[in-house]
């Protein structure tokens, strides 16, 4: 892979990723054979500084002050590239986050205080997005968010995206162990009789699939409705309007197709902005009584009124 030198491209595609664990700077004891999980070293006249996992320093009894989170900028940056470190450093300084930079042959690495790690990632994502949004001339036309029908060759990317989006449970806010259940649900939906190709929509940014939403056939009695979900946006681009674009596209396609209404399970705070209301207010009971106001319905232009019954999702949901 060719090392990137262009600052615009480097910033827009830097892909900051945090390594697991905590890391410390240690002054390596003179004469002690090198060992432990040393990740980087700098020799100075005064001695040898090493960066290593905190746990290794603890077990070797080595003292340290600074405890850092390790963020790698995964873009393959050229050692001759100019300005990446300065731009990243300036953005973090503005956010009052201190940062130590290490340059490897392939990537740049940032060590920031552990407590600031999440904020630092946010600042870096903002910086990359800002760069993406810049129309910096003919060489770099502004990226366009494209919404299109999902194709079979998109499946692997869509599955990976869904796994990433649901890696933290939207219900508990905690990391999910193993594969999130939405991933298997999605696979089953793709293979089900209730799969509706036109309602599996991807959002593509510069050729990368960054969002996906699927709606499948569901019913209240004999009345055919859409059951929306899962919907996923790649974590680094969440809260930038991609989910909104996917929801609006679904509603527009549903109206154009003469669909009657769309049901979903989710946060009323989020979906009410699209016109969703608790399903019970339209005479529709949730598949599980305990879902209460989280089970919502959007009546479309041709909502028939006078509907009464319990919503049934595609079989994949109960499998
Ligand atoms: C939920 C999700 C699809 C929304 O897409 P998005 O692109 O991040 O959202 P948008 O940028 O379009 O909308 C952002 C707005 O919605 C709000 N919002 C986003 N997710 C929310 C949630 N779960 N609950 C309440 N509000 C939410 C934001 O606060 C923001 O509000 P603002 O415009 O007033 O600032 C996306 O965050 C995601 O993939 N989350 C993880 C998976 C998930 O929870 N899926 C839905 C399960 S029902």
């Amino acid at each position: 892979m060719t090392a990137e030198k262009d600052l615009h491209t480097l910033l827009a595609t830097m892909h900051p990723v945090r390594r697991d664990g905590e890391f410390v700077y240690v002054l390596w004891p003179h004469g002690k054979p090198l060992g432990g999980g040393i990740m980087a070293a700098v020799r100075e006249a005064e001695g040898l500084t090493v960066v290593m996992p905190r746990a290794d320093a603890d077990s070797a009894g080595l003292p340290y002050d600074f405890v850092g989170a390790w963020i790698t900028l995964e873009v393959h940056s050229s050692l001759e590239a100019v300005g990446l470190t300065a731009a990243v450093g300036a953005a973090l300084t503005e956010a009052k986050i201190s940062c130590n930079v290490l340059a490897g042959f392939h990537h740049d690495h940032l060590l920031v205080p552990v407590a600031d790690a999440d904020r630092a990632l946010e600042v870096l994502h903002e910086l990359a997005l800002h760069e993406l949004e810049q129309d910096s001339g003919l060489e770099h036309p502004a990226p366009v968010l494209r919404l299109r029908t999902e194709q079979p060759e998109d499946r692997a990317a869509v599955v990976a995206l869904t796994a990433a989006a649901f890696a933290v449970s939207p219900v508990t806010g905690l990391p999910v162990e193993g594969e999130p259940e939405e991933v298997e649900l999605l696979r089953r939906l793709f293979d089900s009789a209730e799969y509706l190709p036109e309602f599996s929509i991807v959002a593509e940014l510069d050729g990368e699939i960054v969002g996906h939403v699927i709606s499948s056939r569901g019913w209240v009695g004999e009345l055919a409705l859409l059951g929306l979900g899962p919907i996923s946006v790649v974590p680094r681009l969440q809260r930038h309007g991609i989910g909104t674009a996917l929801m609006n596209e679904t509603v527009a396609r549903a109206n154009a197709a003469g669909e009657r209404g769309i049901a979903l399970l989710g946060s009323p705070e989020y979906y009410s902005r699209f016109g969703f209301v608790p399903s019970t207010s339209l005479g529709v009971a949730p598949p599980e009584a305990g879902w209460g106001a989280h089970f919502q319905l959007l009546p479309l232009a041709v909502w028939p009124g006078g509907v009464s019954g319990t919503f049934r999702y595609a079989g994949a949901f109960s499998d």
Side-chain angles (χ1 to χ4, degrees):
M1 188 184 170
T2 321
E4 184 59 57
K5 284 188 192 171
D6 176 70
L7 181 59
H8 169 86
T9 309
L10 280 168
L11 286 170
T13 61
M14 64 180 149
H15 285 307
V17 173
R18 182 179 172 178
R19 279 190 194 176
D20 282 342
E22 297 178 348
F23 298 85
V24 294
Y25 278 78
V26 166
L27 204 52
W28 194 258
H30 185 70
K32 183 177 167 72
L34 287 179
I38 293 176
M39 314 293 283
V42 181
R43 193 176 292 285
E44 296 170 309
E46 296 87 344
L48 181 71
T49 306
V50 306
V51 185
M52 62 195 302
R54 181 182 192 172
D56 290 347
D58 286 341
S59 57
L62 299 170
Y64 52 81
D65 293 321
F66 174 81
V67 180
W70 185 308
I71 297 173
T72 297
L73 305 182
E74 292 210 324
V75 62
H76 184 187
S77 53
S78 163
L79 286 168
E80 294 162 28
V82 178
L84 176 64
T85 314
V88 164
L92 292 171
T93 304
E94 198 178 318
K96 303 211 174 354
I97 299 173
S98 69
C99 165
N100 297 296
V101 183
L102 298 167
F105 186 85
H106 294 96
H107 306 292
D108 287 306
H109 308 267
L110 314 174
L111 281 128
V112 300
V114 163
D116 292 330
D118 288 344
R119 226 157 42 85
L121 283 169
E122 222 168 276
V123 168
L124 296 170
H125 289 316
E126 285 294 332
L127 181 61
L129 197 74
H130 176 75
E131 205 61 29
L132 273 175
E133 285 166 356
Q134 294 290 316
D135 182 4
S136 50
L138 288 177
E139 270 185 61
H140 302 289
V144 176
L145 187 73
R146 188 174 159 227
L147 301 173
R148 60 169 177 79
T149 302
E150 168 258 322
Q151 302 296 314
E153 54 270 26
D154 298 325
R155 296 268 163 99
V158 168
V159 164
L161 160 70
T162 305
F166 286 92
V168 172
S169 160
V171 179
T172 63
L174 297 173
V176 172
E177 277 188 30
E179 187 179 82
E181 61 190 10
E182 289 78 5
V183 174
E184 185 55 23
L185 167 61
L186 189 62
R187 287 197 196 101
R188 287 173 194 259
L189 282 174
F190 284 147
D191 290 337
S192 71
E194 294 91 353
Y195 170 66
L196 304 168
E198 281 297 305
F199 288 100
S200 180
I201 306 168
V202 295
E204 201 181 50
L205 191 67
D206 269 358
E208 179 193 355
I209 292 181
V210 294
H212 173 253
V213 63
I214 187 166
S215 304
S216 49
R217 181 57 69 219
W219 302 266
V220 173
E222 295 299 306
L223 177 70
L225 297 175
L226 293 176
L228 185 147
I231 175 169
S232 311
V233 172
V234 70
R236 72 170 203 285
L237 293 178
Q238 284 176 7
R239 311 213 156 188
H240 288 97
I242 297 172
T244 300
L246 287 166
M247 289 299 298
N248 289 336
E249 179 70 9
T250 300
V251 173
R253 288 188 183 200
N255 269 319
E259 292 286 340
R260 307 300 184 94
I262 308 174
L264 59 78
L265 174 65
S267 154
E269 196 193 331
Y270 184 54
Y271 294 103
S272 58
R273 68 187 64 200
F274 304 107
F276 282 80
V277 293
S279 69
T280 47
S281 67
L282 291 161
V284 176
E288 306 224 356
W291 290 356
H294 284 81
F295 191 70
Q296 301 162 69
L297 223 158
L298 175 69
L300 293 170
V302 289
W303 176 253
V307 180
S308 170
T310 301
F311 183 81
R312 297 192 322 277
Y313 270 114
F317 282 83
S318 40
D319 292 346

